Amino acid sequence: MSRITESDEGKSVVRGDTTVGIVATVEHGTAYVEPDPGLTDKVMSQLGWKDIDEETFPLQEQEIVDVTDDEIKLQTSP
């Protein structure tokens, strides 16, 4: 798997067929995702993003399946 770098900022983050957000920033190899405004509470909870007041959420490395030129793909099941 590719390590997350600053070049991944701005990429879409997808889970299955759903875009869950966009990489807002990368700090020390961790991508922080700004959730898609239409993301439901259920999907956010499945992703472990419980504090809805936060603006960005960190991606856990074990959730990432693939990093392409355009997007970061997550596991489809929690």
Side-chain angles (χ1 to χ4, degrees):
M1 183 185 69
S2 301
R3 181 166 164 79
I4 300 295
T5 67
E6 289 181 6
S7 67
D8 295 312
E9 291 178 0
K11 288 184 180 180
S12 296
V13 179
V14 296
R15 182 174 185 232
D17 293 333
T18 304
T19 298
V20 297
I22 293 186
V23 177
T25 188
V26 175
E27 296 178 13
H28 308 290
T30 299
Y32 289 85
V33 179
E34 182 177 320
D36 184 289
L39 202 60
T40 65
D41 291 344
K42 179 180 177 182
V43 173
M44 289 187 70
S45 177
Q46 290 172 343
L47 291 168
W49 299 348
K50 295 177 176 89
D51 189 358
I52 297 175
D53 293 334
E54 292 292 320
E55 291 183 24
T56 62
F57 297 87
L59 282 185
Q60 302 301 315
E61 190 171 328
Q62 67 269 19
E63 297 174 335
I64 300 170
V65 174
D66 192 20
V67 178
T68 68
D69 290 340
D70 301 321
E71 61 190 14
I72 295 175
K73 298 178 182 181
L74 304 180
Q75 294 178 10
T76 55
S77 60

